[in-house]
Short mmCIF file of all heavy atoms in Angstrom, two decimals:
data_model
loop_
_atom_site.label_atom_id
_atom_site.label_comp_id
_atom_site.label_asym_id
_atom_site.label_seq_id
_atom_site.Cartn_x
_atom_site.Cartn_y
_atom_site.Cartn_z
N VAL A 4 -2.13 -27.00 19.82
CA VAL A 4 -3.00 -25.84 19.95
C VAL A 4 -4.44 -26.30 19.90
O VAL A 4 -4.85 -27.00 18.96
CB VAL A 4 -2.74 -24.82 18.81
CG1 VAL A 4 -3.67 -23.63 18.95
CG2 VAL A 4 -1.29 -24.37 18.83
N GLY A 17 -2.57 -12.77 10.82
CA GLY A 17 -3.01 -11.77 9.86
C GLY A 17 -2.62 -10.37 10.28
O GLY A 17 -2.12 -9.58 9.47
N LEU A 30 9.85 1.87 6.21
CA LEU A 30 11.30 1.76 6.01
C LEU A 30 11.73 2.42 4.70
O LEU A 30 12.82 3.00 4.61
CB LEU A 30 11.70 0.29 6.01
CG LEU A 30 13.20 -0.03 5.92
CD1 LEU A 30 13.92 0.52 7.15
CD2 LEU A 30 13.42 -1.53 5.81
N LEU A 31 10.86 2.35 3.70
CA LEU A 31 11.19 2.94 2.41
C LEU A 31 11.38 4.45 2.51
O LEU A 31 12.06 5.05 1.67
CB LEU A 31 10.08 2.63 1.39
CG LEU A 31 10.03 1.18 0.90
CD1 LEU A 31 8.79 0.96 0.04
CD2 LEU A 31 11.29 0.83 0.10
N GLN A 32 10.80 5.06 3.53
CA GLN A 32 10.90 6.50 3.66
C GLN A 32 12.21 6.95 4.31
O GLN A 32 12.54 8.14 4.28
CB GLN A 32 9.72 7.03 4.49
CG GLN A 32 9.54 8.53 4.44
CD GLN A 32 9.39 9.07 3.03
OE1 GLN A 32 8.55 8.60 2.27
NE2 GLN A 32 10.23 10.05 2.65
N VAL A 33 12.96 6.01 4.86
CA VAL A 33 14.18 6.39 5.57
C VAL A 33 15.45 5.82 4.95
O VAL A 33 16.55 6.11 5.42
CB VAL A 33 14.10 5.98 7.06
CG1 VAL A 33 12.96 6.70 7.75
CG2 VAL A 33 13.94 4.47 7.21
N ASP A 60 6.37 -3.86 -3.35
CA ASP A 60 5.48 -4.95 -3.74
C ASP A 60 5.29 -5.94 -2.59
O ASP A 60 4.16 -6.39 -2.33
CB ASP A 60 6.04 -5.69 -4.96
CG ASP A 60 5.97 -4.84 -6.23
OD1 ASP A 60 5.28 -3.80 -6.21
OD2 ASP A 60 6.62 -5.21 -7.23
N LEU A 61 6.38 -6.29 -1.91
CA LEU A 61 6.30 -7.22 -0.80
C LEU A 61 5.42 -6.66 0.31
O LEU A 61 4.61 -7.38 0.91
CB LEU A 61 7.70 -7.53 -0.27
CG LEU A 61 7.78 -8.44 0.96
CD1 LEU A 61 7.14 -9.80 0.66
CD2 LEU A 61 9.23 -8.60 1.41
N ALA A 62 5.59 -5.37 0.60
CA ALA A 62 4.80 -4.74 1.66
C ALA A 62 3.30 -4.80 1.34
O ALA A 62 2.47 -5.14 2.19
CB ALA A 62 5.24 -3.29 1.85
N SER A 70 -4.83 -9.19 5.31
CA SER A 70 -6.24 -8.82 5.21
C SER A 70 -7.10 -10.04 4.88
O SER A 70 -8.16 -10.25 5.48
CB SER A 70 -6.43 -7.75 4.14
OG SER A 70 -5.67 -6.60 4.41
N ALA A 88 -17.83 -9.08 3.75
CA ALA A 88 -16.87 -9.99 3.10
C ALA A 88 -16.61 -9.56 1.66
O ALA A 88 -15.47 -9.63 1.17
CB ALA A 88 -17.40 -11.41 3.15
N PHE A 90 -16.87 -6.43 0.48
CA PHE A 90 -16.03 -5.24 0.55
C PHE A 90 -14.58 -5.61 0.88
O PHE A 90 -13.63 -5.05 0.32
CB PHE A 90 -16.55 -4.28 1.62
CG PHE A 90 -17.77 -3.50 1.20
CD1 PHE A 90 -18.84 -3.31 2.07
CD2 PHE A 90 -17.84 -2.94 -0.07
CE1 PHE A 90 -19.95 -2.59 1.69
CE2 PHE A 90 -18.96 -2.21 -0.47
CZ PHE A 90 -20.01 -2.04 0.42
N VAL A 102 -0.18 -3.85 -7.17
CA VAL A 102 1.14 -4.45 -7.38
C VAL A 102 1.32 -4.87 -8.83
O VAL A 102 2.37 -4.66 -9.44
CB VAL A 102 1.32 -5.67 -6.45
CG1 VAL A 102 2.61 -6.41 -6.79
CG2 VAL A 102 1.35 -5.21 -4.99
N PHE A 130 -9.27 1.76 -1.07
CA PHE A 130 -9.35 2.72 0.03
C PHE A 130 -10.79 2.96 0.49
O PHE A 130 -11.02 3.30 1.65
CB PHE A 130 -8.69 4.04 -0.36
CG PHE A 130 -7.20 4.02 -0.25
CD1 PHE A 130 -6.41 4.49 -1.29
CD2 PHE A 130 -6.58 3.55 0.89
CE1 PHE A 130 -5.02 4.49 -1.18
CE2 PHE A 130 -5.19 3.53 1.01
CZ PHE A 130 -4.42 4.01 -0.03
N VAL A 131 -11.75 2.81 -0.41
CA VAL A 131 -13.15 3.02 -0.04
C VAL A 131 -13.76 1.75 0.58
O VAL A 131 -14.53 1.83 1.55
CB VAL A 131 -13.97 3.47 -1.26
CG1 VAL A 131 -15.47 3.49 -0.94
CG2 VAL A 131 -13.53 4.86 -1.71
N VAL A 139 -19.78 -1.96 8.14
CA VAL A 139 -20.86 -2.94 7.98
C VAL A 139 -20.76 -4.06 9.01
O VAL A 139 -21.78 -4.57 9.48
CB VAL A 139 -20.84 -3.51 6.55
CG1 VAL A 139 -21.77 -4.71 6.42
CG2 VAL A 139 -21.23 -2.43 5.54
N GLU A 147 -21.07 -7.73 21.88
CA GLU A 147 -21.08 -7.47 23.32
C GLU A 147 -19.90 -6.60 23.76
O GLU A 147 -19.57 -6.56 24.95
CB GLU A 147 -21.02 -8.81 24.08
CG GLU A 147 -22.21 -9.72 23.78
CD GLU A 147 -22.10 -11.05 24.51
OE1 GLU A 147 -21.07 -11.26 25.19
OE2 GLU A 147 -23.03 -11.87 24.40
N VAL A 173 -10.68 17.49 -5.52
CA VAL A 173 -11.11 17.25 -6.90
C VAL A 173 -12.25 18.19 -7.27
O VAL A 173 -12.29 18.77 -8.37
CB VAL A 173 -11.54 15.78 -7.08
CG1 VAL A 173 -12.15 15.57 -8.46
CG2 VAL A 173 -10.35 14.85 -6.89
N MET A 196 -4.53 8.17 5.51
CA MET A 196 -5.65 7.29 5.21
C MET A 196 -5.23 5.82 5.28
O MET A 196 -5.94 4.99 5.86
CB MET A 196 -6.21 7.61 3.82
CG MET A 196 -7.38 6.76 3.38
SD MET A 196 -8.19 7.42 1.89
CE MET A 196 -6.81 7.55 0.74
N ALA A 209 -8.66 -8.14 15.69
CA ALA A 209 -8.07 -8.56 16.97
C ALA A 209 -9.01 -9.50 17.71
O ALA A 209 -10.19 -9.18 17.90
CB ALA A 209 -7.77 -7.34 17.82
N ARG A 212 -10.87 -10.92 24.10
CA ARG A 212 -10.20 -11.46 25.26
C ARG A 212 -10.89 -12.73 25.75
O ARG A 212 -12.12 -12.79 25.81
CB ARG A 212 -10.20 -10.43 26.40
CG ARG A 212 -9.39 -9.17 26.10
CD ARG A 212 -9.48 -8.20 27.25
NE ARG A 212 -8.70 -6.98 26.97
CZ ARG A 212 -8.64 -5.95 27.81
NH1 ARG A 212 -9.32 -6.00 28.97
NH2 ARG A 212 -7.95 -4.88 27.49
#
Side-chain angles (χ1 to χ4, degrees):
V4 179
L30 184 64
L31 288 173
Q32 193 56 53
V33 297
D60 290 347
L61 177 59
S70 302
F90 283 137
V102 172
F130 280 132
V131 171
V139 169
E147 299 178 357
V173 173
M196 180 168 54
R212 295 178 180 178

